[in-house]
Amino acid sequence: MSGTRVVAAQIKPNSKKGPLVETLEDGTLLLYVRAPAVEGKANKAAEELLAAHLGVSKRSVRLISGQTSRHKRFEVQD
């Protein structure tokens, strides 16, 4: 059964800890990415990390809100 879901995430750009995914108490994913928050690099890295974490292709993950915020929402196609 395929479908679309929305995943809430917080991004930690320039992280020495990443790439890493942690789940917060409220279900929000915390994405640690090494990419800097310039020219969309951290967003792209977050999409790729989320896709790998969820076991879907990179094209299945799309940023739908929070382009310039640390709090983001991604649409994931299963």
Side-chain angles (χ1 to χ4, degrees), residues 47-68:
E47 285 179 348
E48 292 173 2
L49 178 59
L50 187 57
H53 178 72
L54 297 174
V56 298
S57 71
K58 293 176 194 174
R59 290 192 317 231
S60 298
V61 178
R62 183 173 67 95
L63 179 64
I64 55 174
S65 72
Q67 188 73 29
T68 59

Side-chain angles (χ1 to χ4, degrees), residues 3-7 54-56 60 64 74-78:
T4 303
R5 60 185 160 146
V6 175
V7 176
L54 297 174
V56 298
S60 298
I64 55 174
F74 294 92
E75 179 181 79
V76 179
Q77 303 237 333
D78 295 324

Side-chain angles (χ1 to χ4, degrees), residues 12-61:
K12 298 282 188 179
N14 288 324
S15 174
K16 302 277 188 253
K17 193 173 176 179
L20 176 70
V21 178
E22 293 180 350
T23 304
L24 302 177
E25 288 182 17
D26 65 357
T28 300
L29 296 178
L30 186 55
L31 307 176
Y32 294 90
V33 296
R34 292 187 180 264
V38 292
E39 299 174 359
K41 290 180 182 178
N43 288 342
K44 182 167 175 32
E47 285 179 348
E48 292 173 2
L49 178 59
L50 187 57
H53 178 72
L54 297 174
V56 298
S57 71
K58 293 176 194 174
R59 290 192 317 231
S60 298
V61 178

